[in-house]
Amino acid sequence: MLNAKRIPTPLIQPGERPPIQVQHQPPAASFRTVYLLYHLLGLLLRIFWLWLWRRLSEDRLGDLLRDFCQRMGVIWIKLGQLISMRADLAPPGVRNQLAKLLDRVQGFPGEVAVRLIETELGVPLEHHFSHFERKSLAAASIGQVHKAWLKEERVWVAVKVRRPDVQRVADRDMTFIHFLIRVLEWLRFKPHARWPDLFWELHEVMTEELDYRYELSNMRRMKQRLRRHDIYVPDVYPRYCTSAVLVMEFIHGVLMSDYLQMARHDPTRLESWREDNNVRPPRIARHLLHSFFRQAFEENLFHGDLHPGNIVLLRDDGVAFLDYGSLGSLERDLTRNVDLYIQALGGRQYAKMVDIFFLFSPSLPPTNLTECKNEMMRRLQAWDLRCRVRELPYPEKSYNAIQDELVFFASGFGISPVWSFFRMTRAMATMDASLRELIPEGDFHSLVNSYYRKRIGRTRDRLFAKLRRSQQNMRDWLELQDRLLDDARFRSGIVRRAAQVFERTSSTIALFLGRLFGQTARVLLLLGLVMILTFVCQHERAWAEAHLPADVSRTLGRVPPLDGQVWILLFGLLLYVQRCFAVLSRRFREQDVERGQG
């Protein structure tokens, strides 16, 4: 349980927060595909109409897409949020609108929530809860939260209840989205996006968030880890939890979303609250960012949705996290590369940073990347200059601003990071809304460097502890580790460079062969036309003399006459050979595209 000394005074009274609107008619799973198709066609018609009248701006298009995703529900909201992270898939105006997608929708009646809880637990509500507030505290597209008092444990808890029929609706939506992705693949629309990987990411996210047992397991894992970060994770009560109900400790704190709202409307009141509770914004910002880096790089398990509604402020710069339905992790090699990438950014080693950025792409195009690298370095240096100007607004100096710029520019060269890379980008982007208010003049380089200094200290302490336990010779052990590390880095650099050279060479050969076979197929088509004209000249001389130039007719007439069946055999053989060359050309070109765009 949270120590009572850490509970801050209220910032916003319950009556000041707008009530959750109730939707009495939930979306039905029946005819869901027809419903989606109808609204999608309506969206496409509106977009086409605006484009026809030249009134379709980036912001207007993004607003239409955002409204569509918000109305269609949970999966579409997640899909819009994922696309908003990809600067190479949509222009800035569209992404800015999609980034405003919030998983905050109308709730459902409290009586429905009570029936769902009783069905899941198999007993009347009064058997476990002596008090249950029918009015929900918060509502999302998957479920909503109610405040209650547990009889046996004698504690206030937050009861998360899944929406009725949301699983069936989600299944039908996923089927529809899979169909749309197949269409995009068939149309070859932005193939570098690797749409099947997007579907896999979306499917994994929804699998975890729709079953509260995943969140229960996540909370157990994160509670032990985040305790070392001095970040509080609510206690959970497994005996009352099912796939559709999650019961956890109710945190009496101040939501970051309320903090941001008060900063906009009553900064004087906010300043008084900070003084009363000893809350210092810069320390909170550093705490959030450092903890996130520790989760990502040292433990490879991070909270993937740290938007202001999931961050709770406590007294004395304390922090608690809510909503553990979406945890992220990366492959070991990718985690290491992202770690080096952020470290190079903090150390202003921009050439090294761009080289590492290329490693995030599954393959590199068969072109000279010197121009791309130089331009990316220039953009990083320009961002560095903006970071040094304290008066500039935070969005111009944020990590996400420069990351979007790099991804967008690199996509023009056929370089696009894997979808896994954007798990971390998305998580950092959700924190930006909080960091923007906490450190409006913040220096990202200083925050990153301070994290790595502290990490070195933690690593040294763990190393000395291991050495004391094993009683090894520290000097020999450190020298051995240094030699192994240098050897690994040297060999990995050679392998990576060799792989890039081999891939570029093989892709160049594939491109050459594709063009060669394509030209041969065209020549054979031209030869087929000549054969047809020759056949006409030999068997329809009067028509040929009337319609063809005299030189052409006379030249083709010199070809030795052949029997009609022989002409048919030769022409069929020619078509077969031409078809073979055309197929080879297409296969080699597809192979080149796959290498260049992933």
Side-chain angles (χ1 to χ4, degrees):
M1 295 293 296
L2 180 64
N3 192 328
K5 295 181 179 180
R6 304 196 70 182
I7 298 176
T9 58
L11 177 61
I12 293 181
Q13 300 301 325
E16 298 181 79
R17 188 178 288 112
I20 302 296
Q21 299 297 319
V22 176
Q23 182 183 22
H24 294 275
Q25 185 64 32
S30 304
F31 305 105
R32 179 67 177 177
T33 303
V34 177
Y35 177 82
L36 291 171
L37 190 59
Y38 171 78
H39 284 277
L40 181 61
L41 290 176
L43 171 67
L44 294 177
L45 287 175
R46 293 188 65 184
I47 293 174
F48 176 74
W49 181 260
L50 292 173
W51 174 81
L52 194 63
W53 290 94
R54 298 184 180 179
R55 292 161 55 189
L56 185 65
S57 62
E58 290 183 7
D59 290 338
R60 181 56 176 157
L61 176 59
D63 184 63
L64 290 174
L65 294 174
R66 176 174 58 86
D67 179 69
F68 173 80
C69 293
Q70 198 79 57
R71 287 187 292 109
M72 293 302 101
V74 51
I75 290 184
W76 299 90
I77 291 173
K78 298 296 181 185
L79 179 62
Q81 290 173 343
L82 286 174
I83 293 178
S84 71
M85 298 296 105
R86 296 289 300 260
D88 55 334
L89 296 186
V94 174
R95 290 187 295 104
N96 291 338
Q97 293 297 326
L98 291 177
K100 297 177 183 178
L101 278 169
L102 297 176
D103 197 3
R104 296 293 182 267
V105 297
Q106 292 180 331
F108 53 92
E111 294 74 18
V112 176
V114 171
R115 289 198 301 270
L116 289 170
I117 295 173
E118 291 178 340
T119 301
E120 288 292 320
L121 300 184
V123 295
L125 190 72
E126 296 76 14
H127 186 79
H128 295 305
F129 304 98
S130 59
H131 174 78
F132 187 89
E133 296 184 2
R134 260 58 172 182
K135 186 181 295 185
S136 62
L137 297 175
S141 53
I142 292 179
Q144 64 185 27
V145 179
H146 295 263
K147 186 178 180 180
W149 177 266
L150 269 179
K151 276 185 177 181
E152 185 173 339
E153 288 78 4
R154 300 182 62 81
V155 293
W156 286 107
V157 292
V159 183
K160 185 184 288 190
V161 188
R162 194 175 66 190
R163 289 179 177 273
D165 215 25
V166 68
Q167 182 70 60
R168 292 178 59 201
V169 171
D171 290 341
R172 283 163 171 74
D173 284 5
M174 288 298 294
T175 302
F176 189 80
I177 291 175
H178 186 255
F179 166 74
L180 292 181
I181 287 179
R182 295 288 296 273
V183 171
L184 292 176
E185 285 188 286
W186 180 71
L187 295 175
R188 298 198 61 79
F189 177 75
K190 294 185 180 295
H192 66 272
R194 292 181 291 277
W195 298 109
D197 292 345
L198 166 62
F199 181 79
W200 184 86
E201 290 283 334
L202 189 62
H203 183 270
E204 290 297 306
V205 169
M206 297 315 303
T207 299
E208 294 183 10
E209 295 197 11
L210 286 170
D211 190 338
Y212 288 156
R213 290 172 296 187
Y214 284 93
E215 185 170 356
L216 169 64
S217 175
N218 292 340
M219 293 182 70
R220 286 170 168 168
R221 298 163 68 190
M222 294 299 284
K223 190 171 185 67
Q224 180 180 2
R225 296 167 185 260
L226 293 183
R227 184 182 292 116
R228 298 191 294 265
H229 304 193
D230 194 25
I231 290 181
Y232 190 77
V233 177
D235 288 336
V236 65
Y237 301 92
R239 59 178 295 195
Y240 308 109
C241 299
T242 68
S243 62
V245 175
L246 182 67
V247 179
M248 71 190 81
E249 175 188 358
F250 184 87
I251 302 297
H252 293 85
V254 172
L255 290 174
M256 179 64 76
S257 55
D258 292 340
Y259 181 96
L260 300 180
Q261 178 184 349
M262 195 57 61
R264 291 190 296 266
H265 297 100
D266 195 346
T268 303
R269 179 176 167 184
L270 180 63
E271 179 62 29
S272 175
W273 178 85
R274 286 199 296 252
E275 293 178 359
D276 293 341
N277 295 277
N278 189 29
V279 173
R280 291 160 291 183
R283 287 178 61 92
I284 297 292
R286 187 164 58 251
H287 197 177
L288 289 175
L289 197 61
H290 284 197
S291 173
F292 177 77
F293 285 154
R294 289 182 67 178
Q295 295 171 50
F297 301 143
E298 299 177 44
E299 298 160 358
N300 196 18
L301 187 68
F302 54 89
H303 196 302
D305 195 15
L306 286 177
H307 64 74
N310 289 336
I311 301 174
V312 181
L313 301 180
L314 307 174
R315 189 184 291 273
D316 299 326
D317 299 326
V319 176
F321 289 163
L322 305 177
D323 193 357
Y324 294 82
S326 178
L327 295 188
S329 62
L330 305 177
E331 296 82 359
R332 182 177 179 180
D333 290 341
L334 182 59
T335 301
R336 177 59 178 163
N337 288 337
V338 175
D339 187 8
L340 293 173
Y341 183 74
I342 297 295
Q343 191 171 0
L345 178 62
R348 293 183 166 88
Q349 299 173 302
Y350 295 136
K352 177 181 178 180
M353 183 179 170
V354 175
D355 287 336
I356 298 173
F357 181 89
F358 291 157
L359 298 179
F360 297 144
S361 179
S363 59
L364 297 177
T367 57
N368 190 347
L369 297 179
T370 303
E371 178 185 352
C372 178
K373 179 178 179 179
N374 292 338
E375 179 59 27
M376 291 176 71
M377 289 175 57
R378 284 193 289 268
R379 292 173 183 245
L380 283 164
Q381 290 163 356
W383 174 75
D384 192 336
L385 291 177
R386 296 197 298 270
C387 290
R388 299 175 189 271
V389 181
R390 295 172 58 88
E391 291 75 17
L392 287 177
Y394 177 82
E396 297 184 21
K397 303 181 292 184
S398 70
Y399 165 81
N400 294 293
I402 184 59
Q403 190 59 48
D404 285 351
E405 192 172 345
L406 294 179
V407 171
F408 176 76
F409 179 77
S411 66
F413 286 80
I415 302 172
S416 183
V418 294
W419 273 100
S420 301
F421 171 75
F422 293 99
R423 294 179 194 171
M424 183 173 175
T425 302
R426 174 177 177 266
M428 293 188 66
T430 57
M431 281 197 300
D432 252 8
S434 302
L435 299 179
R436 182 180 307 180
E437 179 59 39
L438 295 172
I439 48 169
E441 300 178 355
D443 183 356
F444 188 79
H445 296 87
S446 299
L447 291 172
V448 170
N449 291 332
S450 64
Y451 159 73
Y452 282 103
R453 284 195 300 269
K454 291 185 177 181
R455 193 173 89 175
I456 290 174
R458 288 192 298 271
T459 304
R460 183 182 60 244
D461 293 342
R462 289 196 298 268
L463 175 61
F464 287 159
K466 289 181 180 179
L467 290 173
R468 285 194 296 267
R469 287 195 299 268
S470 59
Q471 296 182 352
Q472 295 178 359
N473 184 289
M474 184 175 65
R475 180 177 179 181
D476 294 342
W477 194 89
L478 289 175
E479 288 179 354
L480 176 61
Q481 295 299 310
D482 287 339
R483 288 198 300 270
L484 291 175
L485 182 61
D486 290 341
D487 183 70
R489 288 176 176 173
F490 176 75
R491 291 180 182 275
S492 64
I494 293 176
V495 171
R496 184 167 59 250
R497 179 62 59 84
Q500 291 175 356
V501 171
F502 172 78
E503 184 175 8
R504 186 177 296 111
T505 302
S506 61
S507 187
T508 302
I509 294 174
L511 181 62
F512 169 76
L513 291 176
R515 290 177 177 175
L516 176 63
F517 289 139
Q519 293 293 340
T520 304
R522 295 187 186 93
V523 171
L524 290 175
L525 278 179
L526 182 60
L527 180 59
L529 178 61
V530 173
M531 290 178 63
I532 293 174
L533 293 177
T534 303
F535 177 82
V536 171
C537 289
Q538 290 183 359
H539 295 79
E540 298 291 339
R541 183 174 300 278
W543 182 91
E545 292 177 352
H547 293 83
L548 296 178
D551 294 340
V552 173
S553 177
R554 187 167 48 255
T555 302
L556 295 178
R558 295 174 182 173
V559 177
L562 299 174
D563 186 70
Q565 294 181 353
V566 176
W567 278 112
I568 294 175
L569 180 63
L570 290 176
F571 190 72
L573 180 62
L574 181 67
L575 286 180
Y576 174 76
V577 175
Q578 190 275 335
R579 177 61 179 171
C580 291
F581 277 101
V583 170
L584 288 172
S585 174
R586 184 174 66 253
R587 288 183 178 178
F588 276 104
R589 288 176 181 272
E590 289 176 351
Q591 184 179 4
D592 175 66
V593 170
E594 290 175 358
R595 286 198 180 97
Q597 298 178 335

